[in-house]
Amino acid sequence: MIDAEFLYSGKICIGFKVKGHALFGEFGSDIVCSAVSSAVQMCCNGITEVAGAEAGVFVSSDSISLETDDKSNVVQTLLSSLRLQLGLLSNDYGDNISLSILEV
């Protein structure tokens, strides 16, 4: 299962961590994993490369996380968009992806 955690300080999203494997299909052709990976990569690249925001992005073999202090509208919009997309995927593939919100 993919576990997606969004970190909030009050009403401000300060990052996320996505870890695990969807196990929906065979390795290399898992559509849930592909959808999650693509959405996460677009969010990270949008924040760091397009918006130019300072953010720590940490990648390991089965997880990726992003943390930022940037409260700008563009960064918050990108993080909210990722949360929405992963939430929709969780609704459709609840056995393969879970989403949680953590107050830090």
Side-chain angles (χ1 to χ4, degrees):
M1 175 169 290
I2 293 175
D3 294 310
E5 300 174 340
F6 284 83
L7 310 173
Y8 279 79
S9 177
K11 294 184 179 186
I12 303 296
C13 185
I14 59 169
F16 62 84
K17 181 174 186 175
V18 177
K19 61 183 175 182
H21 298 282
L23 305 174
F24 181 78
E26 292 183 37
F27 182 78
S29 61
D30 188 323
I31 62 169
V32 177
C33 194
S34 294
V36 170
S37 295
S38 180
V40 168
Q41 287 176 342
M42 188 167 90
C43 182
C44 289
N45 290 335
I47 289 171
T48 61
E49 303 302 317
V50 177
E54 292 289 323
V57 178
F58 308 96
V59 179
S60 71
S61 63
D62 73 340
S63 70
I64 184 167
S65 63
L66 179 140
E67 293 181 19
T68 185
D69 292 329
D70 196 309
K71 299 174 184 168
S72 68
N73 286 339
V74 68
V75 169
Q76 292 303 304
T77 298
L78 288 164
L79 290 168
S80 293
S81 296
L82 179 62
R83 179 180 163 188
L84 173 63
Q85 182 65 19
L86 296 185
L88 293 170
L89 287 169
S90 178
N91 289 341
D92 291 341
Y93 300 98
D95 292 338
N96 306 96
I97 178 170
S98 69
L99 186 127
S100 58
I101 309 301
L102 303 174
E103 178 70 29
V104 293

